[in-house]
Structure formats: structure tokens, C-alpha cells
Amino acid sequence: YGRVVVASDIPGSAVRWVVETGECGFLVPPGDENALSSIFQRLMSAPDVLYALGQTGMVRFEEEFHIGPVAQKIRHVYQEVMDEWKD
């Protein structure tokens, strides 16, 4: 939706794959309110950066997470399984 993402960098989660730091958002250590505050202050003082990150995130969403690309990836996996099963 064209919004920058700020999320907790939860160990073992896929958040690092979803949020590319500096490309479409930022990750902060869980429970680190100083890091979170710092990111928000930085973003509030740079609306052009805020907008650019949001736009990059929207493109990433459309390419990686929208139903069309996801369905195509799932279809590809099923096709590979079926091809192996036929052999």
C-alpha cells in the first residue's frame, strides 16, 4: 500500500526476507525502544525517504507477495512434484 515498514527483527522469523532493510523498511531489535524511536524520528524528518521506501515496498509486494505471483510459485512447485512423480 505504499507504506514503509518498521518491524521487530525477530530471530528465526521470515521478517528479514519480507522487510529488506533500507529498501522498503527497517528492522529494529525486539524490545529496543530507542532504536524504534530513532527510526521513526529519522523517517519523520525525511518525507522523501519515507515515500521512496513505501514505493519500493509496494513494488516488492506486487512482485513477491500478491496472489498472482504466489499462485504461480505454488503452481510451479506442484508441477515439479508431478513431473518427478511421472518419472
Side-chain angles (χ1 to χ4, degrees):
Y1 295 104
R3 302 290 186 250
V4 65
V5 175
V6 178
S8 291
D9 189 5
I10 302 166
S13 73
V15 73
R16 285 185 183 186
W17 176 65
V18 174
V19 180
E20 294 179 324
T21 296
E23 294 294 320
C24 60
F26 294 95
L27 298 175
V28 295
D32 188 342
E33 62 273 358
N34 291 329
L36 184 62
S37 175
S38 176
I39 290 295
F40 283 142
Q41 288 176 3
R42 189 166 135 197
L43 290 171
M44 294 295 286
S45 67
D48 55 328
V49 172
L50 193 67
Y51 178 79
L53 291 171
Q55 294 304 301
T56 302
M58 187 166 50
V59 170
R60 179 162 166 70
F61 171 79
E62 292 291 331
E63 292 175 352
E64 295 289 333
F65 305 110
H66 197 270
I67 191 62
V70 170
Q72 192 157 345
K73 289 174 188 175
I74 292 170
R75 185 178 308 119
H76 180 73
V77 169
Y78 276 106
Q79 188 62 53
E80 284 182 348
V81 169
M82 292 302 294
D83 290 346
E84 287 180 20
W85 185 71
K86 289 178 185 178
D87 292 338

